[in-house]
């Protein structure tokens, strides 16, 4: 398995809708902050009303900025998190995949946005299948991705993001306490898979 936690922090930061790095056009007034304890990452987010889509988010950098890491061998995502604040307790998981056909280093949003809407349950530990991930519609339309390439790709994952997705309850502060994100499942390396295919072909 692959674990994101205070023991495996992957260069964690908290960003909000004032972020202007890597081609982002900031138009908001939300304010996010990060506290890291031995057991959890804690994001506090004042949700401002200036942006059409206000947000704060955790960002975890996964490996090289272009090559990233390969998450395609996992089948389950397990979360250990707690959400407090009024309104709908919902987050979005973004798994960013760098693809030279579409992606550039100076534009963060050019990477494929594989996303999962997370309706946070009352119990802190819960799971979702990797098959629930979808490439974001807005990304496909904006990049004019042909239907033949609209599928989820997870072979060059450069970042995992967990973002607030509450656009209506502005003017409040929400807290997300993230203890762990874990990717689970039977991992088969490309080398092993090719070896099996060659063996099967010879047979």
């Amino acid at each position: 398995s692959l674990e994101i936690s205070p023991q495996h922090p992957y260069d964690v930061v908290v960003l909000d809708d004032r972020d202007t790095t890597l081609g982002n056009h900031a138009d908001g007034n939300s304010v996010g902050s990060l506290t890291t304890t031995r057991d959890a990452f804690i994001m506090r987010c004042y949700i401002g009303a200036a942006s059409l889509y206000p947000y704060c988010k955790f960002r975890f950098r996964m490996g090289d900025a272009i090559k990233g890491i390969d998450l395609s061998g996992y089948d389950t995502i397990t979360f250990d998190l707690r959400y407090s604040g009024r309104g709908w307790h919902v987050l979005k998981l973004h798994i960013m995949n760098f693809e030279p056909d579409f992606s550039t280093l100076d534009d963060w949003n050019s990477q494929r946005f594989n996303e999962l809407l997370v309706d946070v349950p009352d119990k802190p530990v819960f799971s979702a299948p990797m098959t629930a991930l979808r490439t974001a519609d807005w990304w496909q339309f904006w990049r004019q991705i042909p239907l033949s390439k609209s599928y989820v790709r997870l072979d060059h994952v450069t970042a995992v993001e967990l973002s607030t997705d509450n656009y209506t309850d502005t003017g409040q502060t929400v807290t997300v306490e993230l203890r762990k994100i874990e990717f689970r499942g039977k991992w088969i390396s490309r080398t092993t898979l090719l070896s099996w295919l060659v063996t099967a072909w010879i047979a």
Side-chain angles (χ1 to χ4, degrees), residues 43-118:
M43 175 174 68
R44 289 182 176 85
C45 177
Y46 170 78
I47 302 176
S51 175
L52 182 61
Y53 300 111
Y55 71 85
C56 300
K57 64 184 176 182
F58 292 107
R59 176 182 290 170
F60 303 93
R61 295 275 195 169
M62 313 297 288
D64 182 84
I66 294 176
K67 293 181 180 178
I69 63 173
D70 190 346
L71 291 183
S72 60
Y74 299 106
D75 57 23
T76 305
I77 313 167
T78 298
F79 301 88
D80 185 349
L81 67 86
R82 294 145 184 83
Y83 186 118
S84 61
R86 70 174 186 263
W88 190 21
H89 289 191
V90 62
L91 299 167
K92 266 190 179 173
L93 178 73
H94 297 142
I95 301 182
M96 315 294 292
N97 203 71
F98 192 97
E99 298 163 38
D101 289 351
F102 314 118
S103 307
T104 59
L105 286 174
D106 60 349
D107 185 354
W108 184 259
N109 293 322
S110 66
Q111 298 182 83
R112 183 182 295 267
F113 269 71
N114 301 296
E115 68 178 21
L116 173 67
L117 187 65
V118 180

Side-chain angles (χ1 to χ4, degrees), residues 13-30 55 57 59 61 108-109 161:
V13 295
V14 162
L15 302 170
D16 53 47
D17 53 34
R18 300 171 299 163
D19 177 35
T20 58
T21 60
L22 296 177
N24 288 323
H25 302 288
D27 60 356
N29 64 338
S30 299
Y55 71 85
K57 64 184 176 182
R59 176 182 290 170
R61 295 275 195 169
W108 184 259
N109 293 322
E161 299 182 339

Side-chain angles (χ1 to χ4, degrees), residues 61-188:
R61 295 275 195 169
M62 313 297 288
D64 182 84
I66 294 176
K67 293 181 180 178
I69 63 173
D70 190 346
L71 291 183
S72 60
Y74 299 106
D75 57 23
T76 305
I77 313 167
T78 298
F79 301 88
D80 185 349
L81 67 86
R82 294 145 184 83
Y83 186 118
S84 61
R86 70 174 186 263
W88 190 21
H89 289 191
V90 62
L91 299 167
K92 266 190 179 173
L93 178 73
H94 297 142
I95 301 182
M96 315 294 292
N97 203 71
F98 192 97
E99 298 163 38
D101 289 351
F102 314 118
S103 307
T104 59
L105 286 174
D106 60 349
D107 185 354
W108 184 259
N109 293 322
S110 66
Q111 298 182 83
R112 183 182 295 267
F113 269 71
N114 301 296
E115 68 178 21
L116 173 67
L117 187 65
V118 180
D119 190 356
V120 181
D122 292 333
K123 61 178 183 177
V125 180
F126 57 95
S127 298
M130 294 285 278
T131 53
L133 287 163
R134 294 289 181 267
T135 297
D137 289 338
W138 69 263
W139 184 82
Q140 295 185 56
F141 294 144
W142 176 54
R143 303 299 298 180
Q144 299 183 335
I145 306 301
L147 187 61
S148 62
K149 295 185 178 181
S150 64
Y151 48 82
V152 169
R153 275 188 62 179
L154 302 169
D155 53 343
H156 296 289
V157 172
T158 62
V160 172
E161 299 182 339
L162 193 63
S163 175
T164 60
D165 197 49
N166 190 341
Y167 303 145
T168 57
D169 289 302
T170 57
Q172 68 157 318
T173 298
V174 303
T175 301
V176 180
E177 179 184 328
L178 176 63
R179 293 176 177 255
K180 182 167 62 174
I181 300 175
E182 186 176 7
F183 296 90
R184 299 176 177 176
K186 185 175 181 181
W187 176 263
I188 303 174

